[in-house]
Amino acid sequence: MTPPADAAALLRRLHHDRAPGDALVLPGPWDAASARIFAEAGFPALATPSMGVSLSLGYADGACPAEEMFAAVARIVRAVEVPVTADIERGYGLPPAEIAQRLLGTGAVGCNLEDSVSGRLVETGRQAEFLAAVREALGPGPFLNARVDVYLCGADRPLEEALERCRAYVAAGADGVYPLGAPPGELTALARELEVPVNALARPGGSGPAELAAAGAARVTFGGGLAMRAMEQVRGWAAGLRDD
């Protein structure tokens, strides 16, 4: 099973051809089996989470080697007939041309790239230059989603800095922005001020896809949350088997 030849164009349409309040909900498969389950459930596209993939391969979040992450993404892409976009952290220290080559080699038609390293924000201009170089190397097709970590890293004025970074990243060629952890009220302000799809994170016990969509999100993802919930289920089964 492989995605259609026009998967990149389809992924773009899925982001844009939507009514207000109707977000594109992208589950996060951590392996080929979970990808097939989500695709069979009717989701039109998928977004791999770096945390979920890392955990499935036996690594802590952020510790998966690049070659193993890209190989896992390739297996997920091969398993389904829907477009797949991949979370590839900040590119594993690879030069932009190699990031693009490896991503395109998996068959994925989009990616997330974050703007922090070890909990510290990368300077805005340097990140914008990095994104522009990745954009050039990828070409116009793949959907480049720029993650903005000001809420994660505790910026003094997160909304103001998020807007500044989002605008710089869009000018550099990003197709969408992902202000990770933005509260619904500030998500609304970001969506109102920006002309690209805004990605929001749905978390267990927090805002769900419907609330985030109503706040202005055009795209909703789950990070490693779905993988973690599945692993909790397995942990419960394991305890039950042990105690039988």
Side-chain angles (χ1 to χ4, degrees):
M1 300 172 73
T2 57
D6 62 349
L10 174 57
L11 184 62
R12 286 182 174 278
R13 291 197 301 273
L14 289 170
H15 280 85
H16 291 283
D17 295 348
R18 317 196 71 82
D22 176 29
L24 172 62
V25 178
L26 298 177
W30 52 94
D31 60 12
S34 60
R36 284 183 171 166
I37 290 169
F38 291 133
E40 289 166 0
F43 289 97
L46 305 174
T48 69
S50 61
M51 174 188 281
V53 173
S54 295
L55 293 176
S56 76
L57 296 174
Y59 296 99
D61 183 30
C64 184
E67 59 271 17
E68 294 200 41
M69 181 64 70
F70 285 113
V73 172
R75 289 192 292 271
I76 288 169
V77 171
R78 287 197 301 268
V80 296
E81 295 180 346
V82 299
V84 175
T85 180
D87 178 358
I88 53 172
E89 300 178 6
R90 198 173 178 267
Y92 307 101
L94 301 172
E98 187 172 351
I99 291 171
Q101 179 185 28
R102 291 201 184 194
L103 180 75
L104 295 173
T106 69
V109 291
C111 68
N112 284 359
L113 286 169
E114 58 200 49
D115 67 351
S116 66
V117 178
S118 301
R120 297 177 65 88
L121 290 164
V122 177
E123 191 273 325
T124 303
R126 184 158 72 92
Q127 180 69 4
E129 290 176 359
F130 171 67
L131 291 172
V134 174
R135 170 86 282 163
E136 181 178 7
L138 283 173
F143 193 95
L144 179 57
N145 197 36
R147 202 177 94 178
V148 180
D149 286 351
V150 297
Y151 295 93
L152 184 66
C153 294
D156 291 337
R157 298 188 300 276
L159 178 58
E160 181 179 327
E161 183 165 352
L163 277 169
E164 176 188 345
R165 285 177 175 267
C166 287
R167 287 170 176 147
Y169 300 164
V170 172
D175 299 296
V177 292
Y178 183 13
L180 181 64
E186 297 194 7
L187 185 65
T188 299
L190 289 163
R192 183 176 59 244
E193 294 293 329
L194 300 168
E195 297 182 353
V196 298
V198 176
N199 188 163
L201 175 69
R203 290 174 170 164
S207 300
E211 181 181 352
L212 294 169
R219 162 172 160 163
V220 175
T221 51
F222 300 84
L226 300 179
M228 293 291 291
R229 290 169 68 179
M231 290 174 192
E232 285 300 317
Q233 288 276 12
V234 175
R235 187 172 287 108
W237 296 336
L241 290 171
R242 180 198 61 212
D243 295 339
D244 277 351

Short mmCIF file of all heavy atoms in Angstrom, two decimals, residues 198-234:
data_model
loop_
_atom_site.label_atom_id
_atom_site.label_comp_id
_atom_site.label_asym_id
_atom_site.label_seq_id
_atom_site.Cartn_x
_atom_site.Cartn_y
_atom_site.Cartn_z
N VAL A 198 -3.39 27.02 11.39
CA VAL A 198 -2.77 26.94 12.71
C VAL A 198 -3.06 25.57 13.30
O VAL A 198 -4.22 25.14 13.37
CB VAL A 198 -3.29 28.06 13.63
CG1 VAL A 198 -2.70 27.91 15.04
CG2 VAL A 198 -2.93 29.42 13.05
N ASN A 199 -2.02 24.88 13.71
CA ASN A 199 -2.09 23.53 14.29
C ASN A 199 -2.19 23.65 15.81
O ASN A 199 -1.48 24.44 16.43
CB ASN A 199 -0.81 22.79 13.91
CG ASN A 199 -0.78 21.31 14.24
OD1 ASN A 199 0.04 20.59 13.70
ND2 ASN A 199 -1.63 20.82 15.12
N ALA A 200 -3.09 22.89 16.42
CA ALA A 200 -3.20 22.84 17.87
C ALA A 200 -3.04 21.41 18.35
O ALA A 200 -3.33 20.45 17.63
CB ALA A 200 -4.55 23.41 18.33
N LEU A 201 -2.59 21.27 19.59
CA LEU A 201 -2.37 19.97 20.20
C LEU A 201 -3.53 19.60 21.09
O LEU A 201 -3.88 20.33 22.02
CB LEU A 201 -1.07 19.99 21.02
CG LEU A 201 -0.75 18.73 21.81
CD1 LEU A 201 -0.40 17.58 20.87
CD2 LEU A 201 0.39 18.99 22.80
N ALA A 202 -4.13 18.44 20.84
CA ALA A 202 -5.17 17.88 21.72
C ALA A 202 -4.51 16.95 22.72
O ALA A 202 -3.72 16.08 22.33
CB ALA A 202 -6.21 17.13 20.90
N ARG A 203 -4.85 17.15 24.00
CA ARG A 203 -4.23 16.35 25.05
C ARG A 203 -5.32 15.67 25.88
O ARG A 203 -6.38 16.25 26.10
CB ARG A 203 -3.40 17.23 25.98
CG ARG A 203 -2.13 17.77 25.35
CD ARG A 203 -1.45 18.75 26.27
NE ARG A 203 -0.12 19.11 25.82
CZ ARG A 203 0.56 20.15 26.26
NH1 ARG A 203 0.02 20.95 27.17
NH2 ARG A 203 1.77 20.42 25.81
N PRO A 204 -5.06 14.46 26.36
CA PRO A 204 -6.02 13.82 27.27
C PRO A 204 -6.27 14.71 28.49
O PRO A 204 -5.33 15.22 29.10
CB PRO A 204 -5.32 12.51 27.66
CG PRO A 204 -4.34 12.26 26.56
CD PRO A 204 -3.89 13.60 26.08
N GLY A 205 -7.53 14.92 28.82
CA GLY A 205 -7.86 15.76 29.95
C GLY A 205 -7.83 17.25 29.66
O GLY A 205 -8.15 18.06 30.53
N GLY A 206 -7.45 17.62 28.44
CA GLY A 206 -7.41 19.03 28.05
C GLY A 206 -8.40 19.29 26.93
O GLY A 206 -9.38 18.57 26.76
N SER A 207 -8.14 20.34 26.18
CA SER A 207 -9.03 20.69 25.07
C SER A 207 -9.00 19.62 24.00
O SER A 207 -7.93 19.16 23.59
CB SER A 207 -8.60 22.04 24.48
OG SER A 207 -8.66 23.06 25.44
N GLY A 208 -10.18 19.21 23.53
CA GLY A 208 -10.29 18.22 22.48
C GLY A 208 -10.38 18.86 21.12
O GLY A 208 -10.41 20.09 20.98
N PRO A 209 -10.44 18.06 20.05
CA PRO A 209 -10.47 18.60 18.70
C PRO A 209 -11.60 19.60 18.45
O PRO A 209 -11.38 20.63 17.82
CB PRO A 209 -10.62 17.35 17.83
CG PRO A 209 -9.96 16.28 18.62
CD PRO A 209 -10.31 16.58 20.04
N ALA A 210 -12.81 19.34 18.98
CA ALA A 210 -13.93 20.24 18.71
C ALA A 210 -13.69 21.61 19.34
O ALA A 210 -13.93 22.65 18.70
CB ALA A 210 -15.23 19.64 19.23
N GLU A 211 -13.21 21.63 20.58
CA GLU A 211 -12.95 22.91 21.25
C GLU A 211 -11.82 23.67 20.56
O GLU A 211 -11.88 24.89 20.38
CB GLU A 211 -12.59 22.68 22.72
CG GLU A 211 -12.33 23.98 23.49
CD GLU A 211 -11.96 23.75 24.95
OE1 GLU A 211 -12.05 22.60 25.41
OE2 GLU A 211 -11.57 24.74 25.60
N LEU A 212 -10.77 22.95 20.15
CA LEU A 212 -9.65 23.60 19.49
C LEU A 212 -10.06 24.14 18.12
O LEU A 212 -9.64 25.24 17.72
CB LEU A 212 -8.49 22.62 19.35
CG LEU A 212 -7.87 22.18 20.68
CD1 LEU A 212 -6.91 21.02 20.46
CD2 LEU A 212 -7.15 23.33 21.36
N ALA A 213 -10.89 23.40 17.42
CA ALA A 213 -11.39 23.88 16.13
C ALA A 213 -12.24 25.13 16.31
O ALA A 213 -12.12 26.10 15.55
CB ALA A 213 -12.19 22.78 15.43
N ALA A 214 -13.08 25.14 17.33
CA ALA A 214 -13.91 26.31 17.60
C ALA A 214 -13.06 27.52 17.96
O ALA A 214 -13.43 28.67 17.69
CB ALA A 214 -14.90 26.00 18.72
N ALA A 215 -11.89 27.27 18.56
CA ALA A 215 -10.99 28.36 18.93
C ALA A 215 -10.21 28.90 17.74
O ALA A 215 -9.55 29.92 17.86
CB ALA A 215 -10.02 27.89 20.00
N GLY A 216 -10.26 28.20 16.61
CA GLY A 216 -9.58 28.70 15.42
C GLY A 216 -8.58 27.76 14.79
O GLY A 216 -8.02 28.07 13.73
N ALA A 217 -8.30 26.62 15.43
CA ALA A 217 -7.35 25.68 14.85
C ALA A 217 -7.89 25.12 13.53
O ALA A 217 -9.05 24.73 13.45
CB ALA A 217 -7.06 24.54 15.81
N ALA A 218 -7.04 25.08 12.52
CA ALA A 218 -7.40 24.46 11.25
C ALA A 218 -6.90 23.02 11.19
O ALA A 218 -7.32 22.26 10.32
CB ALA A 218 -6.81 25.25 10.09
N ARG A 219 -6.01 22.67 12.12
CA ARG A 219 -5.43 21.33 12.15
C ARG A 219 -5.24 20.95 13.61
O ARG A 219 -4.76 21.76 14.41
CB ARG A 219 -4.11 21.33 11.39
CG ARG A 219 -3.16 20.17 11.67
CD ARG A 219 -2.01 20.23 10.68
NE ARG A 219 -0.84 19.48 11.13
CZ ARG A 219 0.16 19.10 10.34
NH1 ARG A 219 0.14 19.42 9.05
NH2 ARG A 219 1.20 18.45 10.82
N VAL A 220 -5.59 19.71 13.95
CA VAL A 220 -5.44 19.22 15.32
C VAL A 220 -4.65 17.92 15.29
O VAL A 220 -4.98 16.99 14.53
CB VAL A 220 -6.81 18.99 16.00
CG1 VAL A 220 -6.62 18.37 17.38
CG2 VAL A 220 -7.58 20.30 16.11
N THR A 221 -3.60 17.87 16.08
CA THR A 221 -2.80 16.66 16.21
C THR A 221 -2.71 16.27 17.68
O THR A 221 -3.18 17.00 18.56
CB THR A 221 -1.40 16.85 15.60
OG1 THR A 221 -0.81 18.05 16.13
CG2 THR A 221 -1.49 16.98 14.08
N PHE A 222 -2.07 15.14 17.97
CA PHE A 222 -2.10 14.57 19.31
C PHE A 222 -0.72 14.33 19.90
O PHE A 222 -0.62 13.79 21.00
CB PHE A 222 -2.89 13.25 19.28
CG PHE A 222 -4.31 13.41 18.82
CD1 PHE A 222 -4.62 13.42 17.47
CD2 PHE A 222 -5.33 13.59 19.73
CE1 PHE A 222 -5.93 13.58 17.03
CE2 PHE A 222 -6.65 13.75 19.31
CZ PHE A 222 -6.94 13.75 17.95
N GLY A 223 0.32 14.70 19.18
CA GLY A 223 1.66 14.40 19.68
C GLY A 223 1.80 12.92 19.97
O GLY A 223 1.27 12.08 19.24
N GLY A 224 2.50 12.61 21.03
CA GLY A 224 2.65 11.20 21.41
C GLY A 224 1.53 10.69 22.29
O GLY A 224 1.59 9.57 22.81
N GLY A 225 0.46 11.50 22.46
CA GLY A 225 -0.60 11.15 23.39
C GLY A 225 -1.31 9.85 23.08
O GLY A 225 -1.63 9.07 23.99
N LEU A 226 -1.58 9.59 21.81
CA LEU A 226 -2.29 8.36 21.46
C LEU A 226 -1.41 7.13 21.71
O LEU A 226 -1.89 6.10 22.19
CB LEU A 226 -2.74 8.42 20.00
CG LEU A 226 -3.69 9.57 19.67
CD1 LEU A 226 -4.05 9.54 18.19
CD2 LEU A 226 -4.94 9.53 20.53
N ALA A 227 -0.13 7.25 21.40
CA ALA A 227 0.79 6.14 21.68
C ALA A 227 0.86 5.88 23.18
O ALA A 227 0.86 4.72 23.62
CB ALA A 227 2.18 6.45 21.12
N MET A 228 0.91 6.94 23.96
CA MET A 228 0.99 6.77 25.42
C MET A 228 -0.27 6.09 25.95
O MET A 228 -0.19 5.22 26.83
CB MET A 228 1.17 8.14 26.08
CG MET A 228 2.50 8.80 25.79
SD MET A 228 3.89 7.96 26.56
CE MET A 228 3.58 8.31 28.28
N ARG A 229 -1.43 6.48 25.42
CA ARG A 229 -2.67 5.85 25.88
C ARG A 229 -2.69 4.37 25.51
O ARG A 229 -3.13 3.52 26.31
CB ARG A 229 -3.87 6.58 25.28
CG ARG A 229 -4.07 7.97 25.86
CD ARG A 229 -5.08 8.78 25.10
NE ARG A 229 -6.43 8.26 25.23
CZ ARG A 229 -7.49 8.83 24.66
NH1 ARG A 229 -7.34 9.91 23.90
NH2 ARG A 229 -8.69 8.31 24.84
N ALA A 230 -2.21 4.04 24.32
CA ALA A 230 -2.16 2.63 23.92
C ALA A 230 -1.22 1.85 24.83
O ALA A 230 -1.52 0.71 25.23
CB ALA A 230 -1.71 2.52 22.46
N MET A 231 -0.10 2.44 25.17
CA MET A 231 0.86 1.75 26.03
C MET A 231 0.31 1.57 27.44
O MET A 231 0.60 0.56 28.11
CB MET A 231 2.19 2.51 26.04
CG MET A 231 2.91 2.42 24.71
SD MET A 231 4.39 3.44 24.60
CE MET A 231 4.72 3.33 22.83
N GLU A 232 -0.49 2.53 27.92
CA GLU A 232 -1.14 2.36 29.22
C GLU A 232 -2.11 1.18 29.20
O GLU A 232 -2.22 0.43 30.18
CB GLU A 232 -1.87 3.65 29.61
CG GLU A 232 -0.95 4.76 30.09
CD GLU A 232 -0.14 4.36 31.31
OE1 GLU A 232 -0.70 3.73 32.24
OE2 GLU A 232 1.08 4.64 31.31
N GLN A 233 -2.81 1.02 28.07
CA GLN A 233 -3.70 -0.15 27.93
C GLN A 233 -2.90 -1.44 28.01
O GLN A 233 -3.28 -2.39 28.71
CB GLN A 233 -4.43 -0.08 26.59
CG GLN A 233 -5.49 1.00 26.52
CD GLN A 233 -6.82 0.53 27.11
OE1 GLN A 233 -6.90 -0.50 27.77
NE2 GLN A 233 -7.86 1.31 26.87
N VAL A 234 -1.78 -1.49 27.31
CA VAL A 234 -0.95 -2.69 27.33
C VAL A 234 -0.41 -2.94 28.73
O VAL A 234 -0.36 -4.09 29.21
CB VAL A 234 0.21 -2.56 26.31
CG1 VAL A 234 1.15 -3.75 26.42
CG2 VAL A 234 -0.34 -2.46 24.90
#
